[in-house]
Amino acid sequence: MPIPVVPIASAVLKYGPLAAAALATVAYARAKPRAVNQTAEDLMDDVSDGMEFTRAPDGHQVNGTGRYRRAVRMPNGTGVELDMSLLGRVRLRRI
C-alpha cells in the first residue's frame, strides 16, 4: 500500500514552523539567567562584518570569523537590530 506523501509533507510544511517556534519558546523560558562573560562580548564586538578565514603559518589550523548586522523596521514603526557573530577554529594534527 503506497504511503500518502503529499498530505504528510503539506502538514509538515504547515505546522512545522509553528512547532519549531513553540520549542524555541519553551527552551528560552527554561534557560537559567547567568552572568555575561564580558571578555567574550568584547571579542564578538571586535569581529568585522562579513566572513574571514585565516590559516596558521604551519598550515595545521584554520580560523574563521563572521558577523552579520541588520536593522529591521516593522510597518508599525517598531524595530529591532540583529547582530550575529561567529568564531570558529579547525585544527588538524597527527596523533
Side-chain angles (χ1 to χ4, degrees):
M1 180 174 180
I3 299 172
V5 176
V6 174
I8 293 171
S10 64
V12 167
L13 290 174
K14 186 176 183 180
Y15 298 113
L18 180 63
L23 285 173
T25 303
V26 169
Y28 180 75
R30 289 184 180 173
K32 297 176 184 164
R34 295 189 327 175
V36 175
N37 184 347
Q38 193 58 45
T39 306
E41 288 289 322
D42 292 340
L43 285 173
M44 293 288 189
D45 289 339
D46 290 341
V47 173
S48 60
D49 288 342
M51 298 291 293
E52 179 181 345
F53 294 97
T54 57
R55 182 184 299 266
D58 61 1
H60 294 282
Q61 180 173 323
V62 176
N63 298 324
T65 61
R67 188 170 193 177
Y68 180 79
R69 289 193 295 181
R70 290 290 180 263
V72 179
R73 186 146 316 269
M74 303 298 169
N76 63 2
T78 61
V80 293
E81 181 184 11
L82 177 66
D83 186 355
M84 296 186 294
S85 298
L86 170 74
L87 300 173
R89 175 178 77 178
V90 175
R91 184 175 12 181
L92 300 174
R93 60 182 172 162
R94 292 183 183 221
I95 51 171

